[in-house]
Amino acid sequence: MRVGQGGTGPGAHTRDGSAVELYEVTPAHGEDEVIDAAIDPHSSILELGCGVGRITRPLLARGHHVVAVDESPEMLARVTGTETICSTIDELRLDRRFDVVLMMSFLINVADDAERLRLLRTCAHHVRPGGSVVLQQEIARHAPAVLEDEHRKLVIADVEDLPGGAQAATLTHIVNGRSWSQRIVTRYLSEDELTAQLAAAGLQLGGYLTPDRMWVRAHLS
Ligand SMILES: C[S@@+](CC[C@H](N)C(=O)[O-])C[C@H]1O[C@@H](n2cnc3c(N)ncnc32)[C@H](O)[C@@H]1O
């Protein structure tokens, strides 16, 4: 089960419902700053679920070495200037370890516990001893909302509580008159749940990179 369950709107969509053309027109919102501040200069980074390279590009520009992984060939085709690997995250097993394994975009909030464990095991497999796994997680359960600035609008609607603590919601992004909707199913993790899930994958919670706890650092236990 993917974080996203299906998507509508112009252009190609990935298996999780992410719209390639939406990510092409979405700028970074400071994610690379948070990551860069938490890691050493010129780090080797394995980025899992890189999409079109929205954050790959600024990380490369900051001097890091990024290997970009995604299961979507349409997304990966937009990533330039670095090594790309087309693979699901859970099946990825490279014969290399990295200073940093980065898995953002709330992929850790996949509702299925077994799938989440597979994702975290891939993170543990590829981080070097002493290196960092950097994760971006949901910091609250979903609620209907409209978030707007002069360029774009995000509508969170049809929020539904599901068994086992999961939630479904429909996210609609409107950018320059074009609209993409994605139905997501996610599970917010308490700190105890996060700690337990990390431990099951051989990882330890190292701390938070931001006061809101959205950005998590873990390392090999
Ligand atoms: C919401 S997009 C975000 C892309 C990028 N991280 C960003 O912030 O711009 C999520 C991406 O993760 C990829 N993805 C989701 N689950 C995956 C999995 N299990 N294995 C490989 N790729 C996955 C999707 O194909 C999609 O390109």
Side-chain angles (χ1 to χ4, degrees):
M1 190 190 284
R2 296 282 186 261
V3 164
Q5 300 294 293
T8 59
H13 292 78
T14 63
R15 262 178 85 185
D16 71 352
S18 303
V20 175
E21 292 184 16
L22 168 64
Y23 281 90
E24 276 188 306
V25 296
T26 303
H29 296 296
E31 295 91 335
D32 56 300
E33 275 175 57
V34 172
I35 298 160
D36 182 63
I39 66 178
D40 289 335
H42 309 295
S43 287
S44 60
I45 303 177
L46 179 68
E47 186 188 1
L48 303 173
C50 63
V52 297
R54 190 176 66 88
I55 306 305
T56 320
R57 276 187 297 279
L59 289 174
L60 289 169
R62 287 176 182 272
H64 300 295
H65 310 279
V66 187
V67 174
V69 177
D70 205 287
E71 66 181 353
S72 159
E74 291 92 350
M75 286 283 195
L76 273 187
R78 272 82 176 171
V79 182
T80 53
T82 199
E83 181 183 349
T84 59
I85 298 175
C86 192
S87 172
T88 63
I89 296 169
D90 38 315
E91 289 167 328
L92 185 74
R93 286 294 176 273
L94 302 176
D95 196 13
R96 301 181 247 173
R97 291 192 178 237
F98 295 79
D99 299 326
V100 178
V101 177
L102 170 64
M103 189 173 73
M104 43 183 283
S105 305
F106 315 104
L107 297 187
I108 192 178
N109 294 105
V110 61
D112 185 282
D113 289 343
E115 171 69 359
R116 188 178 320 108
L117 186 55
R118 286 193 288 273
L119 300 181
L120 289 173
R121 285 198 169 129
T122 295
C123 295
H125 179 89
H126 292 96
V127 71
R128 69 162 171 80
S132 294
V133 174
V134 173
L135 305 165
Q136 185 186 27
Q137 66 166 353
E138 288 184 349
I139 52 170
R141 291 173 61 76
H142 291 294
V146 179
L147 310 168
E148 203 166 359
D149 67 22
E150 56 183 309
H151 301 296
R152 51 185 60 229
K153 186 171 174 180
L154 168 62
V155 181
I156 304 173
D158 302 325
V159 177
E160 189 186 344
D161 288 327
L162 302 174
Q167 279 190 307
T170 300
L171 310 185
T172 302
H173 293 266
I174 300 149
V175 186
N176 295 332
R178 297 198 298 163
S179 166
W180 292 268
S181 285
Q182 183 179 19
R183 185 78 176 156
I184 60 164
V185 178
T186 60
R187 179 139 133 51
Y188 166 80
L189 300 171
S190 68
E191 184 171 286
D192 285 350
E193 288 168 334
L194 174 66
T195 303
Q197 292 273 301
L198 290 170
L203 293 167
Q204 205 174 351
L205 181 62
Y208 297 99
L209 307 184
T210 50
D212 63 7
R213 300 189 170 198
M214 181 179 285
W215 291 87
V216 176
R217 187 205 298 274
H219 44 76
L220 289 171
S221 35

